[in-house]
Amino acid sequence: MDFEAIFRAQLDALRAEGNYRIFANLARRCGAFPRAVDHGGDRGEITVWCSNDYLGMGQHPKVLAAMHAALDECGAGAGGTRNISGTNRYHVALEAELADLHGKEAALLFTSGYVSNWATLSTLGSRLPDAVILSDALNHASMIEGIRHARCAKKIWRHNDVEDLDRNLSECPPGSAKIVAFESVYSMDGDIAPIAEIVEVAERHGAMTYLDEVHAVGMYGPRGGGVAEALGLSDRITIIEGTLGKAFGVIGGYITGSAALCDFIRSFASGFIFTTALPPHVAAGALASVRHLKTSSAEREAHRARVAQLRARLDALGIPHLRNPSHIIPVMIKDPVKCRQISDMLLRDWGIYVQPINYPTVAKGTERLRITPTPLHSDADIEHLVGALSSLWSRCALSRAVA
């Protein structure tokens, strides 16, 4: 069998569909976010408009200082898994800080948000008796993978449809361990789950709730505890999962919950047990970021202002974007080839980097540029972006939104 030919044929098909992914070879400029240097082209400095470092905390002086100090103190790596020499005082302090952030007894660190979802859901589904996981139809791939590896019964309920969730819970066998898994902010459309209604239905059926807050931690709530904190619902949710790689600006994932639950996952999840721990300096940086955003609302307030400003300018120019209550602005193109072309032209001709979002990340026919303003984008940056989009909309004969 010619394996190389199979690889090439499938990659060629992906290119023909307009869904082949091309990575931008960038180097973020320390202290100059959202600027970066494009090492894959000849533009030199460019402006990043699609970063998940939503608040620019990856460049914050407190975060960098904490990482430098821990690097000098502990060296580069953790030295092993958490069980075998890898647990460092920064891991312990960060877990305590995250538990406090969400009002929970305990927290457990993972190497990424993907791993925390995969490891936790797969462990719950495989070890709880007669488990049934009820998953929102638009849950992240990491949650889907965790559920698949759990090899337990599952039900998919229509996205954000509480009545459909209620029906599905009613159909679960009596005595089954029911786990309702959903997100707060959905990253591609930017919509927000009806958390209060979901919790009420889950409680009525005696179900555990598992809430992914990766696109919300640091961003919402008086201390950055996410949408659940903003709504005063954290105490009614069994497990709150989050990431350190988005608004907190570093890398890593975590869960928070009761002490027994976190110990249960710590003791049985292979994705935790057999993975080398986060480097201490990474944990130290995350710790500094979480602590800062617990007491500072300036970043969140500036961020909301920038999001509103960009939405208003897009509206004024008729650039179509999805309406949602979150910080994510999906600019809709609805064609994979044009989406890729516009992204390329923005980078080549305007020095603007926005990665195209195509299938399978989003459904075919809903291709978009996912734009994420930050507090550090200036008025001039916004005008440069909307001017470029307006020009390309005319050049590519795309429809404008009607006011």
Side-chain angles (χ1 to χ4, degrees):
M1 182 176 290
D2 188 344
F3 294 108
E4 292 297 315
I6 295 171
F7 300 151
R8 286 192 297 269
Q10 294 196 29
L11 289 170
D12 289 344
L14 202 61
R15 290 187 181 93
E17 294 168 356
N19 292 324
Y20 181 75
R21 299 169 191 252
I22 299 170
F23 295 161
N25 184 4
L26 307 178
R28 302 208 308 171
R29 285 187 52 207
C30 185
F33 185 81
R35 308 289 179 245
V37 176
D38 178 14
H39 286 274
D42 54 8
R43 281 292 313 189
E45 184 175 271
I46 57 105
T47 303
V48 178
W49 274 100
C50 56
S51 175
N52 283 343
D53 187 357
Y54 294 133
L55 300 177
M57 291 302 294
Q59 305 289 323
H60 196 282
K62 288 183 181 179
V63 175
L64 299 184
M67 294 183 76
H68 280 297
L71 187 64
D72 290 339
E73 176 190 352
C74 302
T81 64
R82 290 287 296 277
N83 185 53
I84 304 176
S85 81
T87 295
N88 183 277
R89 71 182 185 91
Y90 291 109
H91 300 132
V92 177
L94 178 55
E95 286 174 338
E97 201 73 32
L98 291 167
D100 175 77
L101 176 66
H102 295 291
K104 300 297 186 185
E105 290 181 342
L108 188 67
L109 282 174
F110 293 84
T111 50
S112 72
Y114 191 104
V115 174
S116 57
N117 271 334
W118 176 86
T120 304
L121 285 169
S122 63
T123 302
L124 290 172
S126 63
R127 297 199 68 91
L128 291 179
D130 301 316
V132 181
I133 300 180
L134 299 100
S135 177
D136 184 286
L138 293 188
N139 275 343
H140 190 262
S142 57
M143 301 173 80
I144 294 169
E145 277 294 289
I147 294 165
R148 184 170 70 86
H149 280 85
R151 297 182 179 178
C152 65
K154 67 177 180 182
K155 289 178 175 287
I156 311 299
W157 47 286
R158 287 194 297 270
H159 177 55
N160 282 348
D161 188 331
V162 179
E163 291 184 1
D164 193 49
L165 172 61
D166 193 17
R167 281 191 294 271
N168 277 278
L169 281 165
S170 299
E171 295 169 358
C172 292
S176 58
K178 298 176 284 291
I179 306 158
V180 177
F182 62 108
E183 302 179 37
S184 57
V185 178
Y186 286 84
S187 64
M188 289 299 119
D189 288 348
D191 55 332
I192 296 178
I195 299 175
E197 292 87 346
I198 292 171
V199 169
E200 287 172 8
V201 169
E203 288 175 344
R204 192 161 63 243
H205 290 274
M208 175 187 297
T209 44
Y210 182 100
L211 176 61
D212 175 319
E213 289 254 43
V214 297
H215 292 277
V217 290
M219 304 291 291
Y220 301 89
R223 302 195 308 159
V227 179
E229 184 197 32
L231 297 174
L233 294 169
S234 298
D235 61 321
R236 294 174 63 187
I237 295 165
T238 315
I239 304 172
I240 296 177
E241 183 266 353
T243 185
L244 304 168
K246 294 183 170 63
F248 292 129
V250 194
I251 190 172
Y254 64 88
I255 60 166
T256 62
S258 71
L261 185 146
C262 290
D263 197 18
F264 178 81
I265 301 301
R266 182 190 72 88
S267 300
F268 294 112
S270 63
F272 175 84
I273 295 169
F274 298 108
T275 300
T276 298
L278 284 174
H281 68 281
V282 171
L287 178 63
S289 184
V290 173
R291 283 177 174 169
H292 175 79
L293 290 174
K294 276 183 176 180
T295 58
S296 172
S297 61
E299 291 81 5
R300 287 186 284 276
E301 291 170 2
H303 183 267
R304 285 193 292 270
R306 283 299 185 216
V307 170
Q309 181 181 357
L310 179 54
R311 286 190 188 278
R313 293 296 292 126
L314 292 172
D315 286 339
L317 294 170
I319 305 300
H321 58 99
L322 290 185
R323 306 289 173 182
N324 63 54
S326 78
H327 57 283
I328 295 165
I329 304 179
V331 170
M332 304 306 290
I333 296 175
K334 300 181 180 181
D335 179 280
V337 175
K338 285 186 177 180
C339 197
R340 174 81 259 173
Q341 288 174 341
I342 289 174
S343 173
D344 290 344
M345 287 187 284
L346 282 170
L347 186 60
R348 184 188 67 229
D349 301 335
W350 299 82
I352 292 169
Y353 175 54
V354 186
Q355 184 72 4
I357 307 294
N358 290 350
Y359 179 84
T361 305
V362 295
K364 292 180 179 179
T366 68
E367 293 81 10
R368 80 274 313 259
L369 300 175
R370 178 183 177 274
I371 296 176
T372 53
T374 75
L376 300 177
H377 284 97
S378 67
D379 292 344
D381 290 333
I382 290 177
E383 290 307 310
H384 185 58
L385 172 65
V386 297
L389 288 172
S390 185
S391 175
L392 290 174
W393 237 251
S394 299
R395 191 190 311 181
C396 298
L398 292 170
S399 298
R400 293 187 186 252
V402 178

